[in-house]
Structure formats: C-alpha cells, structure tokens
Amino acid sequence: DAGVTQSPTHLIKTRGQQVTLRCSPKSGHDTVSWYQQALGQGPQFIFQYYEEEERQRGNFPDRFSGHQFPNYSSELNVNALLLGDSALYLCASSSLFVAGYTGELFFGEGSRLTVL
Amino acid sequence: SQQGEEDPQALSIQEGENATMNCSYKTSINNLQWYRQNSGRGLVHLILIRSNEREKHSGRLRVTLDTSKKSSSLLITASRAADTASYFCATDGNQAGTALIFGKGTTLSVSS
C-alpha cells in the first residue's frame, strides 16, 4: 500500500521564479492538505483540497495556489518566489468523510525548496 | 499562526530514561494529536486523544489532556536512541477534518 508520495524531493530556484510541487495521496484517501515548514519551526497550514476544490486556506498570499485532480492527486504552485519561501513543503492526505474519521493525517516526505 | 506551544524546546536524555514533553494550546479543540519527525523528513502520527479523554496509552507512549488548562503532555518511557526526533502537538479546532495547527515542536535527543 503506497503511502503519500511527493515530487520532487529537492529543488533550487531563484527569486521571482515559479515552482510546482506534486503530491499523490495514500490509497483510499480523497483529501489533500499542504503545509510549509520553515527550518526550526512547526508546519504551517497552507490549504486543503477536497473534491477538486479548495476547502480551507491558511494565512498565505495568493502567490500560493493549488489544484486537485480527479484521481485525488494535487499540485502546489508558488509564483514570484521570495527568499522566505525556502522551506520544506509537506503534503498530507486523509479521508474526511469516512465514518469514524478523527483527523489523523498521513504525511509525505516533503519537497525541500531552496530559493536563492 | 501557531496554536500549540511545546515545552521544552529541546530535551537531552540518556537511553532508558523517560522523556516528558508538554503542549499548550489556545482555543477549544475536538482532539489533540502528537506527531514525530525525524530530521527533515515527513511527520508520522503517534497518538490522538479526544477532548473528552484524559489519558491514553500506546506502547511506550502516554498522553494526557487537561482541557481546563488547555494543555497536554507526552511521556515516552524507557527512551531509546531511535526515539531521537522532533515531536509536535497538533490541534484541530472544534471539528474533525479542519486544518491541523502545529506547535513549534520539542527536539528530543537520546544518547546511548
């Protein structure tokens, strides 16, 4: 049973560029959440996708956008990259509306973005 | 914004000792979870405690929850070198399925 997979694992961009990160949820899961984790900090919620729509959004600017596909996989796009966008980007999946769901998330290994 | 705040920020112990980490949060919750993260990798769910529970056990883990004080503690008994990692508490507000809000974490170092 494949867990949550993310790609790429590492990437380096320069300021002003755009980046796309990809995530495939755990088999059977239909909800994808994205988190940003700066060095030495806890993960910060970016947004959550369910049924191909953004269901919730954290306090991130519009430069951060996402998409969910019919197969439940998801992309995170960041435009006009800033140095401060350097972080580990984590994707987490869940199955929100399964009976008895309590909120546990399954995380991928993350994509480490460095902005120079 | 951070909902939970872990204490201490860092903890160093010897193998075989117990490790206790504390978490405080600000708003009412549906449940509180603890996650573990090995250096720079993904988070792994450890244990979940509901708002109407006071204590929960899972193997060498014991979690307590005091909703009146808005605090929780994670106890790892008989620590091993492999327990070296960062530990985060996370809360979900009032409803399961809402975004998890994480604290800054406690970095645990267990030396042999």
Side-chain angles (χ1 to χ4, degrees):
Chain A
D1 177 20
V4 179
T5 58
Q6 291 187 244
S7 64
T9 54
H10 296 83
L11 68 167
I12 300 173
K13 294 286 187 177
T14 56
R15 281 179 298 174
Q17 285 189 314
Q18 179 264 345
V19 68
T20 297
L21 308 178
R22 296 175 177 82
C23 171
S24 292
K26 179 179 168 65
S27 178
H29 285 181
D30 55 13
T31 303
V32 173
S33 301
W34 286 93
Y35 287 80
Q36 179 196 65
Q37 186 178 25
L39 200 61
Q41 301 294 314
Q44 298 271 326
F45 174 71
I46 303 175
F47 41 54
Q48 181 186 78
Y49 276 85
Y50 171 72
E51 290 190 334
E52 302 180 48
E53 292 195 357
E54 185 181 288
R55 184 173 178 267
Q56 273 190 284
R57 188 178 182 94
N59 188 26
F60 278 79
D62 292 344
R63 298 187 297 109
F64 290 76
S65 63
H67 188 79
Q68 185 179 36
F69 299 93
N71 66 352
Y72 309 120
S73 67
S74 177
E75 287 183 350
L76 164 65
N77 300 291
V78 187
N79 295 322
L81 284 167
L82 305 173
L83 296 180
D85 295 331
S86 294
L88 181 67
Y89 288 85
L90 294 161
C91 171
S93 74
S94 54
S95 194
L96 276 185
F97 298 103
V98 168
Y101 173 71
T102 55
E104 175 185 347
L105 295 182
F106 291 79
F107 283 85
E109 293 294 325
S111 293
R112 183 164 296 283
L113 170 66
T114 301
V115 182
L116 302 177
Chain B
S1 63
Q2 307 282 167
Q3 158 81 308
E5 293 290 338
E6 289 88 346
D7 171 58
Q9 290 187 354
L11 179 62
S12 293
I13 60 174
Q14 299 285 321
E15 268 193 325
E17 294 181 338
N18 295 340
T20 300
M21 290 159 261
N22 304 297
C23 166
S24 60
Y25 56 92
K26 298 174 183 175
T27 64
S28 57
I29 61 171
N30 180 62
N31 65 50
L32 184 143
Q33 304 180 43
W34 286 88
Y35 287 80
R36 165 194 168 126
Q37 183 179 38
N38 287 355
S39 180
R41 305 194 63 182
L43 280 75
V44 176
H45 178 263
L46 294 176
I47 193 166
L48 178 152
I49 185 164
R50 301 173 192 267
S51 59
N52 61 355
E53 296 176 316
R54 293 295 169 259
E55 187 171 312
K56 198 163 183 180
H57 296 253
S58 177
R60 293 185 295 115
L61 305 180
R62 181 174 79 100
V63 170
T64 62
L65 178 64
D66 186 335
T67 53
S68 66
K69 295 181 179 178
K70 291 185 169 59
S71 67
S72 173
S73 68
L74 172 67
L75 168 67
I76 305 174
T77 60
S79 295
R80 306 164 181 168
D83 294 327
T84 295
S86 293
Y87 293 82
F88 297 90
C89 69
T91 55
D92 65 352
N94 274 323
Q95 183 179 355
T98 56
L100 285 187
I101 307 298
F102 288 83
K104 293 184 179 181
T106 292
T107 300
L108 172 66
S109 178
V110 182
S111 54
S112 54

